[in-house]
Amino acid sequence: MPFPKKFVWGAATASYQIEGGAFEDGRGASIWDTFSHTPGKTKGGDTGDVACDSYHRWAEDMELMKALHLQAYRFSIAWPRIFPAGTGAVNPAGLAWYDRFVDALLAAGIEPYVTLYHWDLPQALQDKGGWLNADTARDFAVYAATVAAHFKGRVKYYFTLNEPQCSVGLGYSAGVHAPGYKLDDAAVFTAWHNTIYAHCLAADAIRKADPDAKVGMAPTGRICTPATDSPADTAAAREATFALADGDWTFTYTPALDPVCGRGWPKIAGGQTQRVVDAIPQEQLDALPLGRLDFIGMNIYNSVAVRAGADGKPEFCPRAAGHPRTAIGWPITPEAMEWGPRFLHERYGLPIFITENGLSCTDRIHLDGKVHDPERIDFTHRYLLALRQGIEAGADVQGYFHWSLLDNFEWSEGYNERFGLVYVDYPTGTRTPKDSAAWYRETIDANGGNL
């Protein structure tokens, strides 16, 4: 059975992970330039200085996308390439580079889906407090308006933020992503609500600059799936997916989506964080309706099974010994792609795009000169089957973007993990499409009818 008509098939990347050209044509430093150049912060001391060198090899990457028969491509714009200081003067060379790229996508019949913030905050704004400073939100709105006005008529779809759960939770709480802070829950929530405030101001700015543009957000978070098909377990999984408590709220969808979907700021059990929620400035509360979404992006990799306990409350089920895992160690749970979209569509009633889904494998060039990755084909096949079940159950999922088009710089993991449909030999930059690329092309051509 094929996917719905007009279902969008694409792939995704992020600027700092693939572009390189970190110090060229007026680009300013980002927090990831600073973080990756700090000893001990990334595996092997890897940086995104060169990455996949897509800044220079973008035409080659365009040919790869065309060969894949991609219908859409989700990529991020580097904020410090447009505003080197985060605000102030625009860098014309930065806009010109994305002009060439967007025009080439359109000429190839590939729809651009633009992410405005995929974690590379200009270092100049971090020096002023970063997301702990509400001025960063206002600067983000100016950046968003500038991009939307410039690409009016060419770019129709914008994601303001990618995974605030990671940029805030891992960057301001766990300290394993830039800027590398380990703050208490109250301070972390300050960064969080300034990030959501930024989305709201940016969404309004985009719509004013281009009334035809569609605006979404691409969060991630805990997905809980029912241990059995019983109504009790389904209710428990739903409750656990959206539950919030001190020390356990950053990696959830609720505080990202509730405020901008008309549900207000959610209650967070415990006390410390809720006091910060209750003290949010009125101007930020007044901005929430501006952040309304036209669609939700979901970055889905795995989930956890939940059952109803004797008291009816959710209980997390332990994973079986030897459960399947990816090369990075993440559990393989295809059911996440059924229940995640079902629960989010049920709660928010909005169209959904799967904006990231994929896995890291221990890929290599084989003796025949090819990259054989049956694990990736099997993983994607299973997850897409589950996604189709979710759609049949009523989730309004309108597209799927595989993560990632290319092997790339995987943040604190450096070049240790390979997520791409295309193998990248980093010393030379040579690209080699993997077996999964051919399989994905067949899936696109069949609109999933080959699954």
Side-chain angles (χ1 to χ4, degrees):
M1 181 183 296
F3 277 66
K5 291 182 179 179
K6 298 184 179 180
F7 191 83
V8 176
W9 296 93
T13 60
S15 51
Y16 190 73
Q17 292 183 271
I18 69 164
E19 283 182 4
F23 311 106
E24 296 183 42
D25 297 331
R27 177 186 176 276
S30 78
I31 56 174
W32 270 96
D33 293 299
T34 302
F35 188 79
S36 66
H37 279 268
T38 302
K41 296 300 184 182
T42 66
K43 284 196 175 174
D46 292 339
T47 76
D49 290 0
V50 177
C52 304
D53 199 27
S54 289
Y55 189 71
H56 301 107
R57 305 179 73 135
W58 64 269
E60 183 179 351
D61 294 340
M62 192 69 59
E63 292 303 312
L64 291 167
M65 287 187 270
K66 289 162 66 175
L68 271 168
H69 299 177
L70 292 188
Q71 299 165 355
Y73 180 54
R74 177 182 173 236
F75 65 98
S76 73
I77 289 177
W79 186 351
R81 219 180 270 291
I82 308 303
F83 286 96
T87 187
V90 173
N91 175 28
L95 283 173
W97 189 87
Y98 290 108
D99 271 331
R100 292 189 293 274
F101 188 73
V102 167
D103 288 348
L105 283 173
L106 294 172
I110 301 171
E111 188 78 37
Y113 284 68
V114 167
T115 304
L116 289 169
Y117 185 65
H118 202 130
W119 308 353
D120 45 0
L121 183 73
Q123 181 61 42
L125 297 185
Q126 185 62 46
D127 294 341
K128 300 176 183 178
W131 292 113
L132 294 171
N133 184 348
D135 286 343
T136 299
R138 302 180 185 98
D139 293 332
F140 183 65
V142 173
Y143 156 59
T146 301
V147 171
H150 187 81
F151 291 102
K152 182 178 180 179
R154 291 185 286 168
V155 174
K156 300 175 185 176
Y157 300 95
Y158 288 95
F159 298 94
T160 53
L161 307 173
N162 181 79
E163 295 184 355
Q165 293 82 357
C166 294
S167 59
V168 175
L170 299 181
Y172 284 79
S173 178
V176 296
H177 278 191
Y181 295 166
K182 296 182 179 180
L183 307 179
D184 64 22
D185 258 20
V188 172
F189 193 83
T190 297
W192 184 280
H193 75 69
N194 281 334
T195 302
I196 301 304
Y197 183 42
H199 159 79
C200 295
L201 297 182
D204 185 50
I206 291 167
R207 292 184 174 113
K208 286 178 177 175
D210 182 359
D212 293 327
K214 302 296 184 183
V215 181
M217 184 195 298
T220 190
R222 181 175 62 236
I223 294 174
C224 300
T225 60
T228 72
D229 59 3
S230 73
D233 283 357
T234 299
R238 181 186 298 108
E239 180 182 343
T241 293
F242 299 111
L244 300 173
D246 273 354
D248 182 37
W249 59 266
T250 56
F251 197 71
T252 58
Y253 286 97
T254 321
L257 295 176
D258 273 20
V260 298
C261 291
R263 301 176 70 97
W265 282 102
K267 295 294 182 182
I268 300 177
Q272 181 190 36
T273 312
Q274 188 59 43
R275 286 193 290 273
V276 183
V277 176
D278 294 338
I280 293 173
Q282 190 61 43
E283 67 170 314
Q284 296 194 14
L285 297 175
D286 292 342
L288 292 181
L290 302 176
R292 63 177 176 81
L293 300 176
D294 295 306
F295 51 83
I296 295 170
M298 294 186 72
N299 293 355
I300 298 178
Y301 293 94
N302 55 69
S303 58
V304 60
V306 168
R307 64 190 169 217
D311 58 358
K313 296 295 183 182
E315 290 183 353
F316 292 97
C317 301
R319 300 193 191 279
H323 65 273
R325 292 174 293 176
T326 69
I328 202 173
W330 297 350
I332 297 174
T333 56
E335 57 272 19
M337 285 278 271
E338 176 186 355
W339 289 98
R342 285 181 65 174
F343 286 152
L344 260 71
H345 186 257
E346 176 188 275
R347 186 177 180 91
Y348 301 112
L350 289 170
I352 292 169
F353 290 91
I354 305 303
T355 37
E356 289 184 24
N357 172 247
L359 80 162
S360 172
C361 296
T362 54
D363 300 319
R364 63 191 184 278
I365 304 285
H366 287 243
L367 287 172
D368 60 3
K370 299 178 180 179
V371 181
H372 304 296
D373 57 341
E375 296 91 347
R376 181 168 290 103
I377 293 172
D378 182 77
F379 176 100
T380 310
H381 193 162
R382 291 173 185 270
Y383 274 69
L384 286 174
L385 287 174
L387 178 61
R388 191 164 64 194
Q389 288 181 291
I391 293 171
E392 290 169 358
D396 182 13
V397 182
Q398 299 189 354
Y400 171 88
F401 292 82
H402 192 279
W403 185 269
S404 171
L405 174 66
L406 304 169
D407 291 339
N408 55 47
F409 175 81
E410 186 52 38
W411 308 112
S412 58
E413 294 294 319
Y415 298 101
N416 200 50
E417 306 295 335
R418 292 185 178 272
F419 278 83
L421 294 165
V422 176
Y423 184 93
V424 177
D425 179 70
Y426 296 112
T428 65
T430 301
R431 278 95 159 116
T432 304
K434 304 174 187 178
D435 287 354
S436 58
W439 178 88
Y440 190 48
R441 181 181 62 240
E442 294 170 1
T443 302
I444 293 171
D445 290 347
N447 193 28
N450 61 324
L451 300 174

mmCIF file of all heavy atoms in Angstrom, residues 15 37-38 52 63 73 83 92 101 149 152 169 180 182 214 238 243 273 284 311 324 338:
data_model
loop_
_atom_site.group_PDB
_atom_site.id
_atom_site.type_symbol
_atom_site.label_atom_id
_atom_site.label_comp_id
_atom_site.label_asym_id
_atom_site.label_seq_id
_atom_site.Cartn_x
_atom_site.Cartn_y
_atom_site.Cartn_z
ATOM 1 N N SER A 15 23.618 23.007 8.843
ATOM 2 C CA SER A 15 24.716 23.819 8.333
ATOM 3 C C SER A 15 26.067 23.464 8.964
ATOM 4 O O SER A 15 27.037 23.167 8.250
ATOM 5 C CB SER A 15 24.419 25.306 8.519
ATOM 6 O OG SER A 15 24.046 25.590 9.859
ATOM 7 N N HIS A 37 36.409 23.730 19.385
ATOM 8 C CA HIS A 37 37.833 24.046 19.486
ATOM 9 C C HIS A 37 38.322 24.054 20.940
ATOM 10 O O HIS A 37 39.493 24.317 21.193
ATOM 11 C CB HIS A 37 38.124 25.393 18.827
ATOM 12 C CG HIS A 37 38.246 25.314 17.334
ATOM 13 N ND1 HIS A 37 39.448 25.113 16.695
ATOM 14 C CD2 HIS A 37 37.305 25.380 16.356
ATOM 15 C CE1 HIS A 37 39.256 25.076 15.390
ATOM 16 N NE2 HIS A 37 37.962 25.231 15.157
ATOM 17 N N THR A 38 37.415 23.747 21.872
ATOM 18 C CA THR A 38 37.797 23.654 23.279
ATOM 19 C C THR A 38 38.238 22.223 23.566
ATOM 20 O O THR A 38 37.471 21.279 23.334
ATOM 21 C CB THR A 38 36.612 24.031 24.191
ATOM 22 O OG1 THR A 38 36.172 25.352 23.876
ATOM 23 C CG2 THR A 38 37.022 23.966 25.653
ATOM 24 N N CYS A 52 31.875 18.305 5.734
ATOM 25 C CA CYS A 52 31.774 17.647 4.419
ATOM 26 C C CYS A 52 32.199 18.568 3.293
ATOM 27 O O CYS A 52 32.102 18.210 2.112
ATOM 28 C CB CYS A 52 30.339 17.188 4.171
ATOM 29 S SG CYS A 52 29.673 16.101 5.431
ATOM 30 N N GLU A 63 23.760 17.113 -7.222
ATOM 31 C CA GLU A 63 23.643 15.986 -8.142
ATOM 32 C C GLU A 63 23.270 14.702 -7.399
ATOM 33 O O GLU A 63 22.511 13.869 -7.912
ATOM 34 C CB GLU A 63 24.946 15.795 -8.927
ATOM 35 C CG GLU A 63 25.250 16.913 -9.899
ATOM 36 C CD GLU A 63 24.123 17.137 -10.903
ATOM 37 O OE1 GLU A 63 23.639 16.137 -11.493
ATOM 38 O OE2 GLU A 63 23.716 18.303 -11.097
ATOM 39 N N TYR A 73 14.225 18.937 0.391
ATOM 40 C CA TYR A 73 15.484 18.902 1.134
ATOM 41 C C TYR A 73 15.371 19.872 2.290
ATOM 42 O O TYR A 73 15.079 21.060 2.108
ATOM 43 C CB TYR A 73 16.637 19.304 0.218
ATOM 44 C CG TYR A 73 18.008 19.303 0.864
ATOM 45 C CD1 TYR A 73 18.494 18.180 1.512
ATOM 46 C CD2 TYR A 73 18.828 20.434 0.788
ATOM 47 C CE1 TYR A 73 19.766 18.181 2.084
ATOM 48 C CE2 TYR A 73 20.097 20.439 1.352
ATOM 49 C CZ TYR A 73 20.561 19.304 1.996
ATOM 50 O OH TYR A 73 21.817 19.305 2.564
ATOM 51 N N PHE A 83 24.323 37.034 9.685
ATOM 52 C CA PHE A 83 24.669 38.108 10.624
ATOM 53 C C PHE A 83 25.897 37.665 11.409
ATOM 54 O O PHE A 83 25.769 36.966 12.424
ATOM 55 C CB PHE A 83 23.508 38.393 11.586
ATOM 56 C CG PHE A 83 22.351 39.135 10.983
ATOM 57 C CD1 PHE A 83 21.246 38.445 10.510
ATOM 58 C CD2 PHE A 83 22.364 40.525 10.888
ATOM 59 C CE1 PHE A 83 20.165 39.116 9.954
ATOM 60 C CE2 PHE A 83 21.290 41.209 10.334
ATOM 61 C CZ PHE A 83 20.182 40.506 9.866
ATOM 62 N N PRO A 92 26.397 40.166 2.872
ATOM 63 C CA PRO A 92 25.865 39.853 1.542
ATOM 64 C C PRO A 92 26.388 38.545 0.971
ATOM 65 O O PRO A 92 25.667 37.836 0.261
ATOM 66 C CB PRO A 92 26.311 41.048 0.694
ATOM 67 C CG PRO A 92 26.591 42.148 1.666
ATOM 68 C CD PRO A 92 27.091 41.469 2.898
ATOM 69 N N PHE A 101 22.291 28.215 -3.834
ATOM 70 C CA PHE A 101 21.863 26.888 -3.423
ATOM 71 C C PHE A 101 20.355 26.710 -3.581
ATOM 72 O O PHE A 101 19.883 25.711 -4.140
ATOM 73 C CB PHE A 101 22.281 26.641 -1.972
ATOM 74 C CG PHE A 101 22.054 25.236 -1.516
ATOM 75 C CD1 PHE A 101 22.869 24.209 -1.967
ATOM 76 C CD2 PHE A 101 21.024 24.926 -0.649
ATOM 77 C CE1 PHE A 101 22.656 22.906 -1.562
ATOM 78 C CE2 PHE A 101 20.808 23.628 -0.239
ATOM 79 C CZ PHE A 101 21.625 22.608 -0.695
ATOM 80 N N ALA A 149 12.199 37.608 3.990
ATOM 81 C CA ALA A 149 12.018 38.646 2.970
ATOM 82 C C ALA A 149 12.905 38.376 1.760
ATOM 83 O O ALA A 149 12.485 38.558 0.612
ATOM 84 C CB ALA A 149 12.330 40.018 3.564
ATOM 85 N N LYS A 152 11.483 35.339 -0.258
ATOM 86 C CA LYS A 152 10.044 35.382 -0.539
ATOM 87 C C LYS A 152 9.780 34.886 -1.958
ATOM 88 O O LYS A 152 10.434 35.314 -2.912
ATOM 89 C CB LYS A 152 9.529 36.805 -0.371
ATOM 90 C CG LYS A 152 8.032 36.954 -0.585
ATOM 91 C CD LYS A 152 7.585 38.395 -0.354
ATOM 92 C CE LYS A 152 6.087 38.544 -0.561
ATOM 93 N NZ LYS A 152 5.638 39.940 -0.322
ATOM 94 N N GLY A 169 18.634 21.606 26.592
ATOM 95 C CA GLY A 169 18.872 20.553 27.574
ATOM 96 C C GLY A 169 20.311 20.071 27.612
ATOM 97 O O GLY A 169 20.901 19.908 28.682
ATOM 98 N N GLY A 180 27.951 24.440 26.590
ATOM 99 C CA GLY A 180 28.642 23.614 27.574
ATOM 100 C C GLY A 180 28.363 23.958 29.019
ATOM 101 O O GLY A 180 29.203 23.702 29.890
ATOM 102 N N LYS A 182 26.308 23.748 32.754
ATOM 103 C CA LYS A 182 25.606 22.832 33.649
ATOM 104 C C LYS A 182 24.905 23.679 34.711
ATOM 105 O O LYS A 182 25.434 23.911 35.793
ATOM 106 C CB LYS A 182 26.577 21.838 34.290
ATOM 107 C CG LYS A 182 27.241 20.898 33.293
ATOM 108 C CD LYS A 182 28.160 19.908 33.990
ATOM 109 C CE LYS A 182 28.813 18.948 32.977
ATOM 110 N NZ LYS A 182 29.705 17.974 33.649
ATOM 111 N N LYS A 214 4.842 29.196 5.300
ATOM 112 C CA LYS A 214 4.322 28.317 6.339
ATOM 113 C C LYS A 214 5.409 28.125 7.390
ATOM 114 O O LYS A 214 6.582 27.959 7.060
ATOM 115 C CB LYS A 214 3.918 26.963 5.763
ATOM 116 C CG LYS A 214 2.864 27.048 4.653
ATOM 117 C CD LYS A 214 1.545 27.596 5.175
ATOM 118 C CE LYS A 214 0.478 27.586 4.080
ATOM 119 N NZ LYS A 214 -0.795 28.180 4.558
ATOM 120 N N ARG A 238 0.379 7.442 26.709
ATOM 121 C CA ARG A 238 0.039 8.830 26.364
ATOM 122 C C ARG A 238 0.392 9.763 27.518
ATOM 123 O O ARG A 238 1.008 10.819 27.322
ATOM 124 C CB ARG A 238 -1.449 8.933 26.036
ATOM 125 C CG ARG A 238 -1.903 10.337 25.644
ATOM 126 C CD ARG A 238 -3.404 10.416 25.462
ATOM 127 N NE ARG A 238 -3.887 9.551 24.404
ATOM 128 C CZ ARG A 238 -4.571 8.424 24.592
ATOM 129 N NH1 ARG A 238 -4.844 8.008 25.843
ATOM 130 N NH2 ARG A 238 -4.988 7.703 23.571
ATOM 131 N N ALA A 243 4.133 13.898 30.271
ATOM 132 C CA ALA A 243 4.329 14.237 31.682
ATOM 133 C C ALA A 243 5.587 15.080 31.880
ATOM 134 O O ALA A 243 6.578 14.934 31.155
ATOM 135 C CB ALA A 243 4.417 12.962 32.512
ATOM 136 N N THR A 273 11.105 24.616 39.048
ATOM 137 C CA THR A 273 10.904 25.079 37.684
ATOM 138 C C THR A 273 9.574 25.794 37.545
ATOM 139 O O THR A 273 9.467 26.802 36.838
ATOM 140 C CB THR A 273 10.982 23.904 36.695
ATOM 141 O OG1 THR A 273 12.139 23.122 36.996
ATOM 142 C CG2 THR A 273 11.066 24.407 35.264
ATOM 143 N N GLN A 284 6.266 38.134 27.192
ATOM 144 C CA GLN A 284 6.526 36.832 26.595
ATOM 145 C C GLN A 284 5.246 35.989 26.548
ATOM 146 O O GLN A 284 5.013 35.261 25.582
ATOM 147 C CB GLN A 284 7.637 36.109 27.346
ATOM 148 C CG GLN A 284 8.971 36.830 27.267
ATOM 149 C CD GLN A 284 10.136 35.968 27.701
ATOM 150 O OE1 GLN A 284 10.024 34.760 27.822
ATOM 151 N NE2 GLN A 284 11.280 36.599 27.927
ATOM 152 N N ASP A 311 -1.809 0.621 40.071
ATOM 153 C CA ASP A 311 -2.596 1.804 40.437
ATOM 154 C C ASP A 311 -3.043 2.596 39.217
ATOM 155 O O ASP A 311 -3.604 3.687 39.343
ATOM 156 C CB ASP A 311 -1.801 2.706 41.375
ATOM 157 C CG ASP A 311 -0.471 3.168 40.760
ATOM 158 O OD1 ASP A 311 -0.166 2.750 39.621
ATOM 159 O OD2 ASP A 311 0.252 3.939 41.426
ATOM 160 N N PRO A 324 17.984 -4.761 20.293
ATOM 161 C CA PRO A 324 18.701 -4.228 19.128
ATOM 162 C C PRO A 324 19.073 -2.765 19.318
ATOM 163 O O PRO A 324 18.286 -1.973 19.834
ATOM 164 C CB PRO A 324 17.710 -4.406 17.976
ATOM 165 C CG PRO A 324 16.370 -4.518 18.632
ATOM 166 C CD PRO A 324 16.610 -5.160 19.964
ATOM 167 N N GLU A 338 4.934 4.940 14.842
ATOM 168 C CA GLU A 338 3.472 4.861 14.840
ATOM 169 C C GLU A 338 2.885 5.727 15.943
ATOM 170 O O GLU A 338 2.029 6.586 15.696
ATOM 171 C CB GLU A 338 3.004 3.417 15.030
ATOM 172 C CG GLU A 338 1.475 3.336 15.139
ATOM 173 C CD GLU A 338 0.945 1.951 15.464
ATOM 174 O OE1 GLU A 338 1.735 0.988 15.523
ATOM 175 O OE2 GLU A 338 -0.289 1.829 15.655
#
